[in-house]
Amino acid sequence: QVQLVESGGGSVQAGGSLRLSCAASGSTYRTYCMGWFRQAPGKEREGVATIDSFGGTTYADSVKGRFTISKDNAKNTLYLQMDSLKPEDTAMYYCASDSMTLAWECPAEYSYWGQGTRVTVSS
């Protein structure tokens, strides 16, 4: 099992920055794939960024060039640096993790989720 605890959310004005953290504990191999997802009010959850155990990253088009995902393997902590924030980034942000598939890829659906941290960006 894996326990994920997010922190770092808050309120910020447009153009500002926030850094989200996700502390993971439990089975290390179940954190080989980690990602940030978000859900805005009235909208479906969407992927923001992911990182695998090889350091490979993916980003949603809407955040490319503004957000950076990283992971401190020694601390088993995931980060999301969010710069140039926009009001449309307002959402609950969730950390998720899972093991890699037999093909050494990250799965389409993640099994372990944190409780979320709220980000509010005002114009």
Side-chain angles (χ1 to χ4, degrees):
Q1 296 299 316
V2 175
Q3 294 76 44
L4 303 171
V5 179
E6 303 98 333
S7 61
S11 296
V12 65
Q13 289 191 327
S17 298
L18 283 173
R19 188 194 195 202
L20 305 184
S21 299
C22 173
S25 59
S27 300
T28 300
Y29 80 95
R30 296 186 190 276
T31 62
Y32 283 176
C33 295
M34 297 192 76
W36 290 99
F37 298 78
R38 67 186 181 186
Q39 187 167 20
K43 295 187 178 181
E44 292 188 353
R45 187 175 63 198
E46 63 175 351
V48 176
T50 65
I51 187 167
D52 63 32
S53 59
F54 302 112
T57 59
T58 68
Y59 293 93
D61 288 342
S62 59
V63 306
K64 282 182 181 177
R66 300 189 297 121
F67 291 10
T68 303
I69 189 171
S70 61
K71 185 181 178 187
D72 185 331
N73 289 316
K75 297 181 179 179
N76 213 13
T77 300
L78 182 71
Y79 301 100
L80 185 68
Q81 178 67 40
M82 305 187 295
D83 298 318
S84 303
L85 282 161
K86 303 176 181 180
E88 50 263 45
D89 294 318
T90 295
M92 185 71 82
Y93 283 71
Y94 298 91
C95 169
S97 77
D98 212 325
S99 55
M100 299 191 89
T101 68
L102 294 178
W104 290 101
E105 297 176 342
C106 287
E109 298 291 333
Y110 284 67
S111 299
Y112 304 97
W113 293 83
Q115 293 299 307
T117 185
R118 187 173 301 278
V119 172
T120 303
V121 184
S122 59
S123 58

